[in-house]
């Protein structure tokens, strides 16, 4: 398999999932602004959406959209328990979390990366994201992970959003559950490995 990624982008989520799953893969770096691969090839020929992540399967099939990709990865390594069993009540709870992260956090972060959006507009989206983080903080009370005691692919996705909050200097100090959770995920060896491979963390 090949994962098309951009350092620190939302593709960090499936990158973490691949490492946690123990599946073999190659990384292909994408310049999202230029829409080019490292070798100069046109990324739009890989994914006309112009976005990462893209997972190229060994069959040649391409899968896009992070929440779908991470579930596929989890299902390919079912013994790792990165997602509850298909059709179980818990699987639908995982889907609920993945949808919440992608619609309420991910999509509200997007405008804040815009170089042309006014500061007032960015402040609006920041307030919106902070409200969503407060909800997550409350849900994490007494839990190690979003689904309870088991790390799942939803945690890799939420961690990616929290890393964006770091880059934008969000103050999460009034959300102790979320702060502790972020540190817990960051300390996982496979998360450290993903960050190192993407050049976001210096190798020890």
């Amino acid at each position: 398999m090949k994962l098309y990624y951009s350092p620190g982008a939302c593709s960090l989520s499936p990158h973490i999932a691949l490492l946690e799953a123990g599946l073999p893969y190659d990384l292909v770096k994408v310049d999202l602004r230029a829409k080019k691969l490292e070798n100069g090839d046109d990324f739009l020929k890989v994914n006309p959406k112009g976005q990462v992540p893209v997972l190229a399967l060994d069959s040649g099939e391409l899968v896009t959209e992070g929440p779908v990709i991470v579930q596929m990865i989890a299902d390919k390594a079912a013994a790792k328990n990165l997602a509850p069993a298909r059709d179980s009540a818990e699987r639908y709870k995982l889907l609920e979390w993945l949808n919440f992260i992608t619609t309420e956090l991910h999509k509200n972060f997007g405008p804040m990366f815009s170089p042309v959006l006014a500061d007032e507009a960015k402040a609006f989206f920041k307030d919106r994201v902070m409200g969503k983080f407060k909800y997550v903080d409350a849900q994490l009370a007494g839990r190690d992970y979003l689904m309870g005691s088991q790390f799942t692919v939803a945690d890799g996705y939420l961690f990616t959003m929290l890393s964006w909050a770091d880059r934008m200097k969000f103050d999460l100090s009034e959300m102790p559950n979320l702060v502790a959770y972020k540190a817990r995920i960051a300390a996982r060896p496979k998360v450290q490995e993903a960050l190192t491979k993407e050049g976001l963390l210096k190798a020890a």
Side-chain angles (χ1 to χ4, degrees):
M1 292 187 290
K2 286 182 185 174
L3 177 67
Y4 291 83
Y5 83 106
S6 182
C10 56
S11 46
L12 177 61
S13 165
H15 192 182
I16 290 169
L18 282 165
L19 287 166
E20 291 277 359
L23 297 172
Y25 69 97
D26 293 316
L27 279 177
V28 183
K29 193 173 180 180
V30 179
D31 182 334
L32 287 175
R33 286 192 179 170
K35 307 299 181 191
K36 297 282 186 186
L37 305 182
E38 277 189 298
N39 65 3
D41 286 357
D42 184 359
F43 177 55
L44 293 174
K45 288 183 178 176
V46 176
N47 184 13
K49 295 176 183 176
Q51 300 168 328
V52 293
V54 178
L55 188 67
L57 305 182
D58 295 338
S59 64
E61 182 185 354
L62 297 177
V63 185
T64 62
E65 303 301 328
V68 175
I69 291 172
V70 294
Q71 287 183 81
M72 176 177 278
I73 291 167
D75 288 336
K76 285 180 179 291
K80 298 286 188 176
N81 296 317
L82 293 172
R86 294 177 190 176
D87 299 325
S88 66
E90 288 295 292
R91 183 58 170 255
Y92 294 113
K93 190 67 184 174
L94 177 78
L95 285 170
E96 191 179 319
W97 273 119
L98 288 171
N99 275 279
F100 177 85
I101 296 165
T102 203
T103 59
E104 302 299 330
L105 292 173
H106 191 167
K107 287 306 172 189
N108 280 312
F109 260 114
M112 288 186 271
F113 286 107
S114 170
V116 296
L117 202 64
D119 287 345
E120 280 184 8
K122 289 182 180 181
F124 167 81
F125 285 105
K126 181 176 180 178
D127 285 346
R128 182 179 268 185
V129 169
M130 287 293 279
K132 305 302 180 185
F133 275 146
K134 283 178 184 173
Y135 166 78
V136 178
D137 180 69
Q139 295 301 305
L140 284 170
R143 296 183 184 186
D144 286 341
Y145 303 106
L146 288 172
M147 297 289 291
S149 59
Q150 177 64 41
F151 176 91
T152 68
V153 291
D155 295 301
Y157 196 6
L158 178 56
F159 177 79
T160 300
M161 297 300 102
L162 288 168
S163 72
W164 289 4
D166 262 0
R167 279 159 63 182
M168 295 186 172
K169 298 188 168 42
F170 280 28
D171 181 3
L172 303 179
S173 60
E174 292 184 9
M175 303 177 209
N177 298 323
L178 197 59
V179 171
Y181 168 88
K182 178 176 172 289
R184 192 175 303 122
I185 305 295
R188 292 178 70 84
K190 298 302 183 184
V191 173
Q192 296 269 313
E193 188 178 342
L195 293 170
T196 302
K197 286 186 171 182
E198 295 198 12
L200 304 169
L201 194 67
K202 288 182 180 177

